[in-house]
Amino acid sequence: MTRSRYWRNNLIGYSFIFFPFLVYVIFVLYPVFGTLQLSFTNWDGFERVKHFVGMANYVRMWKDPFFLKSLYHNLIWILIGTSLPIVIGLPLAVILWSGVKGFQVFRTIYFMPLVLSSVVVGIIWGWIYNPVFGIANEFLRMIGLNSLTRAWLGDTSTALPALIIAAAWQYYGFCVIIFLAGLQNVDISLIDAAKIDGANSLQRFFYVIVPQMRNVLTMIILYTLIGGFKVFDLVFVTTRGGPAGATELLATYLFKQAFQINYVGYAAAIAIVLAFFVIVVSVLFIRLRERIA
Amino acid sequence: MKLKIAKMFCGLPRYVVVIIFAVVSLTPLIWVWSSALKTHMEIFINPFAPPSKLHIDNLTKAWNVGRFSKYTLNSVIITVPTAAGVIFLSSLAGYAFGKLQFYGRDILFYVSLFGLTLPFQAVMIPLYYLMLDIGIISTYPAVILPAIGFGLPFGTFMMRAFFKSIPTEVMDAARVDGCSDLQIFLKIMLPLALPAISTLAVLQSLWTWNELLIPLLFLQREELHPLTLGLMFFQGRYTQDYGLIFAGATIMSLPIVGFYLLLHRHFIKGITAGTIK
């Protein structure tokens, strides 16, 4: 390649990416550094001068019981919120894949809750969990378990799991779709061979299909992990972190710190920690995706 | 004949399982829609029965008194430019990263992937004060611009994969025929990329339509609220009037579900490609 050709190519390349990068830098990259900078200050959002406080915000976090509690709730969210949709989604995908009439219809239905706004999901589940006439309690009364009825979202011991179930309802269809895509690459001759060797359908599922789905499984888990750290909307529209902080998560906690009590510097530090968790998981995710593709 | 019946029974539990989950996914939604057509009394007395007669007062009241007409319009005003902006800019970047040779290309591509999973929380604080300082807070661009910025990583990623799959011979042939670089992009590559563009359009519109946090921060005037915020605050105002809240939820969800049913292939293809390919 001649020298002039080389510069010409660079010029063309950069002119194509100029505007996309401009928008990306202004609204995504640059503010990340802004957050990082704020996280070393004790700025309250009004003062003209931003006082540098070093690592104080980061140190404070690990002594802040509300922060630690929020982090703990995120970990629970990740644990249940990841396993539940997978435990439901994987067998369901295998059943659909093994030949069910109307396969397309079921796939379309399972995926449908995913297109709903979290506000709508919040309304639906707020109604299901309603203490007076919600179907959760209605159902318990019907089967004679009156003692178990409660205000699901108003009770500190049930609010978090109740929200996770609502999230899983919306999300499990996503797992079905991704598992179905992964199942296209499963070697059917191995399943036939296992059948001839006398493996029953459960054994075929656990010893032949699941091992071949390992990569897709890991990917879904990483994807849900990222989502589990970021979750905000559903909690914000239903309980806002309540009752008594029982559903407080990193994202809702930092929102309050930043915009309700104006501990801007501290909120920025929490945001950086949150981003750090997400980025670590994402790097694993992208590496894995490249290995598979 | 006997064999056929036996086979059917073997398959039966499978159908029971898939149908139960279909019911689990569908019922709550249908229940909200049908309750929007009930009177206040009916919702409490017969929560599970279908509406006795179609009662559209809730819907009209939400649309007019509840200002859902305004919120719907705002959602459209925000969604259309956001999706258009993401498509336009991602096509440019995706083409450059997928088909052009230039210095630092791969590094810049990784830099643009950085935003793929970045939580909005990591930028919202400085962005909020930036919008305040330059005085565009509580205007439509204050939502549209960051939403485009956050849509770009996925869009670029997807468009790059698509452009990469188009054989380079197509470009060479066009160049031989005397097309300039811009013409190759506009007249040859973009039309070829239409399937990917429509998938991206569908997904980006869905995400913007459902976006809560960005408008919550940057649109503080009620008359600019999109459906997400409108419905959220509406629910706070009319906590006891379930018929009205369900009407609002119906106005928000029915069009998007219709849109989904019409284009479900695009949704599923795009989501799958974004996750594992």
Side-chain angles (χ1 to χ4, degrees):
Chain A
M1 193 159 33
T2 64
R3 178 154 260 207
S4 71
R5 179 85 197 137
Y6 174 78
W7 288 112
R8 212 179 100 80
N9 279 344
N10 279 351
L11 185 70
I12 295 169
Y14 291 135
S15 39
F16 268 95
I17 63 167
F18 179 75
F19 284 109
F21 252 75
L22 190 68
V23 174
Y24 180 66
V25 167
I26 295 176
F27 294 101
V28 182
L29 284 189
Y30 176 68
V32 174
F33 290 102
T35 308
L36 193 64
Q37 210 178 3
L38 282 175
S39 76
F40 298 115
T41 71
N42 63 359
W43 196 45
D44 62 357
F46 300 104
E47 272 183 301
R48 288 199 167 256
V49 193
K50 302 183 176 87
H51 296 286
F52 180 77
V53 295
M55 298 296 285
N57 287 325
Y58 291 93
V59 175
R60 175 181 165 188
M61 225 179 274
W62 305 101
K63 295 181 192 145
D64 174 359
F66 299 105
F67 169 81
L68 294 175
K69 203 171 154 192
S70 307
L71 181 61
Y72 172 68
H73 291 155
N74 272 90
L75 295 178
I76 292 182
W77 192 290
I78 286 167
L79 203 69
I80 313 178
T82 304
S83 43
L84 200 60
I86 290 176
V87 169
I88 298 170
L90 184 56
L92 210 54
V94 171
I95 291 174
L96 282 185
W97 169 75
S98 68
V100 161
K101 282 207 183 81
F103 157 89
Q104 299 259 359
V105 177
F106 287 112
R107 193 176 68 161
T108 308
I109 291 175
Y110 297 149
F111 193 78
M112 198 184 288
L114 217 74
V115 307
L116 299 178
S117 143
S118 46
V119 188
V120 174
V121 175
I123 288 175
I124 291 174
W125 285 84
W127 195 26
I128 291 175
Y129 292 136
N130 187 295
V132 184
F133 51 86
I135 40 163
N137 284 346
E138 206 72 52
F139 177 75
L140 287 172
R141 279 186 213 108
M142 213 165 71
I143 58 172
L145 293 170
N146 293 40
S147 56
L148 290 180
T149 60
R150 64 187 71 212
W152 297 93
L153 292 177
D155 188 322
T156 48
S157 60
T158 54
L160 187 65
L163 283 184
I164 296 175
I165 288 173
W169 171 77
Q170 184 175 24
Y171 185 70
Y172 83 94
F174 169 79
C175 295
V176 174
I177 301 294
I178 300 302
F179 285 135
L180 274 174
L183 282 165
Q184 307 305 319
N185 302 323
V186 165
D187 189 347
I188 297 177
S189 64
L190 285 178
I191 298 172
D192 291 335
K195 209 184 250 175
I196 292 166
D197 288 344
N200 65 32
S201 55
L202 268 184
Q203 286 168 327
R204 291 200 301 268
F205 176 75
F206 282 109
Y207 298 111
V208 186
I209 297 177
V210 171
Q212 293 194 67
M213 296 284 283
R214 213 172 37 218
N215 284 334
V216 177
L217 258 170
T218 317
M219 220 134 49
I220 289 251
I221 291 170
L222 291 176
Y223 204 83
T224 326
L225 263 166
I226 296 170
F229 278 117
K230 285 162 90 168
V231 53
F232 173 83
D233 291 13
L234 184 62
V235 178
F236 190 79
V237 300
T238 50
T239 60
R240 300 232 169 158
T247 57
E248 198 76 88
L249 297 159
L250 291 178
T252 55
Y253 186 58
L254 92 87
F255 183 86
K256 283 177 191 164
Q257 295 287 322
F259 300 108
Q260 286 170 11
I261 58 173
N262 283 324
Y263 285 174
V264 177
Y266 186 47
I270 299 175
I272 292 294
V273 169
L274 174 65
F276 176 78
F277 286 141
V278 171
I279 288 165
V280 168
V281 182
S282 308
V283 169
L284 291 174
F285 177 79
I286 290 170
R287 283 261 170 85
L288 183 79
R289 177 154 58 187
E290 271 168 2
R291 216 174 65 200
I292 294 167
Chain B
M1 188 62 198
K2 229 179 193 170
L3 201 76
K4 234 180 185 170
I5 292 169
K7 228 176 173 176
M8 232 174 73
F9 269 102
C10 276
L12 205 59
R14 286 202 317 211
Y15 280 96
V16 172
V17 174
V18 292
I19 288 170
I20 285 177
F21 279 98
V23 170
V24 167
S25 279
L26 269 182
T27 318
L29 201 56
I30 291 175
W31 191 33
V32 165
W33 291 343
S34 67
S35 298
L37 298 170
K38 291 178 178 179
T39 61
H40 192 64
M41 284 307 282
E42 252 188 299
I43 291 174
F44 288 89
I45 296 165
N46 280 321
F48 303 111
S52 58
K53 67 176 180 13
L54 300 184
H55 173 86
I56 59 161
D57 288 8
N58 289 325
L59 285 168
T60 52
K61 196 176 162 200
W63 186 255
N64 298 319
V65 185
R67 296 164 59 83
F68 272 81
S69 52
K70 185 79 191 143
Y71 302 143
T72 307
L73 183 68
N74 287 336
S75 279
V76 173
I77 291 175
I78 292 166
T79 303
V80 172
T82 303
V86 170
I87 290 165
F88 175 65
L89 295 175
S90 309
S91 303
L92 288 175
Y95 176 67
F97 288 131
K99 273 280 171 279
L100 300 179
Q101 302 285 339
F102 55 93
Y103 181 76
R105 182 187 71 176
D106 293 342
I107 290 172
L108 287 172
F109 177 62
Y110 282 113
V111 170
S112 64
L113 282 188
F114 173 75
L116 202 56
T117 54
L118 190 78
F120 187 71
Q121 279 82 4
V123 302
M124 67 181 184
I125 300 169
L127 269 186
Y128 176 81
Y129 290 100
L130 175 78
M131 302 286 183
L132 212 59
D133 286 345
I134 60 175
I136 62 166
I137 202 140
S138 281
T139 63
Y140 293 119
V143 173
I144 294 167
L145 290 170
I148 293 177
F150 264 78
L152 278 179
F154 179 80
T156 304
F157 175 74
M158 198 182 135
M159 294 313 293
R160 171 183 176 261
F162 189 84
F163 282 121
K164 250 189 129 117
S165 72
I166 299 176
T168 313
E169 286 79 21
V170 176
M171 290 165 69
D172 295 339
R175 195 162 285 135
V176 170
D177 289 343
C179 279
S180 71
D181 289 277
L182 191 64
Q183 280 174 325
I184 294 176
F185 175 68
L186 289 176
K187 295 196 172 149
I188 315 278
M189 299 307 261
L190 268 191
L192 282 174
L194 266 182
I197 287 176
S198 43
T199 300
L200 182 58
V202 164
L203 287 177
Q204 186 60 51
S205 308
L206 172 75
W207 291 330
T208 312
W209 189 265
N210 287 340
E211 179 62 53
L212 180 79
L213 183 54
I214 299 180
L216 178 70
L217 282 176
F218 301 146
L219 288 182
Q220 291 168 348
R221 274 164 42 213
E222 193 263 349
E223 65 264 33
L224 299 179
H225 281 178
L227 279 166
T228 41
L229 289 186
L231 184 56
M232 188 179 87
F233 289 120
F234 185 77
Q235 189 197 1
R237 274 202 305 279
Y238 296 87
T239 32
Q240 291 314 310
D241 199 339
Y242 270 86
L244 213 52
I245 292 172
F246 294 146
T250 304
I251 292 171
M252 166 136 214
S253 58
L254 200 59
I256 206 81
V257 169
F259 185 56
Y260 164 66
L261 289 178
L262 213 64
L263 299 167
H264 65 274
R265 260 169 251 275
H266 281 291
F267 281 86
I268 290 172
K269 200 174 73 190
I271 292 282
T272 315
T275 315
I276 61 172
K277 273 177 201 143

